[in-house]
């Protein structure tokens, strides 16, 4: 009955508001690696055994894409924004370098976010804590439309500078 309940709930929500309806999906990559391997071991895997890291991430993306298709088949017509998650930042900046993001995560985020937009008329939001200013150009290039939260207390995340430098291309939520 879960599918029916999900679909009926999404329909009711869409019919009851003129506000944006968000669909919480997940699709985490960095965080899943940290969960399965532990933070330190996953960073060592990325840096020291890139082939194994790529293999792990490809398998993970295959799972996420299958789940994304099933999820958006059910709720895609009723939501405006699909929310992915990956806490890429810390208080002092990104957890990984922009180069590492580009190698391991950007192409996979781009695939998932593009597929979401093919399956439904949605905007893509990333729940991403921390200071990620250095990653924003690549996140935008990968297809990101909005980011939440915006932790203005983190290095590089001053609201005025973010709006000035990225406000035409990204919604800060």
């Amino acid at each position: 009955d879960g599918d029916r309940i999900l679909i009926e709930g999404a329909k009711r929500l869409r019919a009851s508001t003129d506000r944006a309806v968000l669909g919480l999906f997940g699709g985490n990559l960095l965080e899943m690696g940290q969960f399965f391997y532990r933070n330190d071991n996953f960073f060592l895997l990325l840096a020291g055994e890139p082939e194994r890291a790529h293999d792990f991430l490809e398998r993970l993306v295959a799972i996420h894409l299958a789940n994304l298709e099933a999820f958006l088949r059910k709720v895609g017509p009723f939501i405006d924004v699909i929310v992915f998650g990956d806490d890429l930042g810390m208080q002092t900046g990104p957890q990984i370098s922009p180069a590492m993001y580009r190698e391991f995560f950007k192409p996979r985020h781009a695939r998932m976010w593009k597929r979401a937009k093919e399956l439904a008329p949605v905007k893509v939001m990333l729940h991403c804590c921390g200071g990620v200013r250095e990653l924003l150009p690549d996140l935008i290039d990968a297809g990101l439309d909005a980011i939440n939260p915006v932790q203005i207390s983190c290095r590089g995340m001053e609201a005025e500078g973010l709006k000035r430098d990225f406000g035409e291309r990204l919604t800060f939520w």
Side-chain angles (χ1 to χ4, degrees):
D1 251 5
D3 287 352
R4 182 186 56 76
I5 292 168
L6 180 66
I7 294 166
E8 287 175 4
K11 281 182 183 178
R12 264 193 319 277
L13 185 58
R14 171 76 293 148
S16 70
T17 185
D18 61 351
R19 296 181 182 219
V21 176
L22 280 65
L24 302 177
F25 175 71
N28 307 60
L29 298 177
L30 178 66
E31 287 178 347
M32 289 300 286
Q34 292 169 327
F35 174 77
F36 281 110
Y37 288 93
R38 215 176 63 196
N39 285 12
D40 54 346
N41 289 330
F42 191 54
F43 290 136
L44 287 171
L45 185 72
L46 291 168
E49 298 183 67
E51 294 86 18
R52 273 189 62 208
H54 282 294
D55 182 57
F56 167 76
L57 291 167
E58 279 303 306
R59 292 169 189 251
L60 185 57
V61 167
I63 293 167
H64 288 330
L65 285 172
N67 290 335
L68 180 67
E69 301 230 4
F71 180 68
L72 286 176
R73 260 196 317 272
K74 295 172 186 98
V75 302
F78 313 111
I79 66 173
D80 302 295
V81 179
I82 185 165
V83 183
F84 286 79
D86 238 342
D87 288 340
L88 301 171
M90 307 175 294
Q91 294 297 311
T92 57
Q95 290 192 56
I96 55 174
S97 69
M100 189 169 275
Y101 176 77
R102 285 181 207 113
E103 178 180 347
F104 292 100
F105 301 99
K106 180 180 179 179
R108 293 172 174 99
H109 280 150
R111 264 196 347 245
M112 290 191 298
W113 299 344
K114 178 182 179 198
R115 187 65 183 137
K117 291 176 180 183
E118 290 170 351
L119 293 167
V122 294
K123 298 293 184 183
V124 170
M125 183 168 81
L126 179 66
H127 173 92
C128 181
C129 294
V132 293
R133 181 184 190 83
E134 294 90 340
L135 303 180
L136 290 177
D138 287 307
L139 289 164
I140 294 166
D141 188 51
L144 189 64
D145 299 301
I147 193 163
N148 168 276
V150 182
Q151 288 191 261
I152 60 172
S153 61
C154 295
R155 184 184 60 76
M157 297 297 287
E158 300 80 17
E160 182 180 299
L162 292 173
K163 177 65 176 163
R164 178 191 63 238
D165 296 342
F166 304 105
E168 295 293 320
R169 299 177 289 155
L170 187 65
T171 297
F172 294 97
W173 193 322

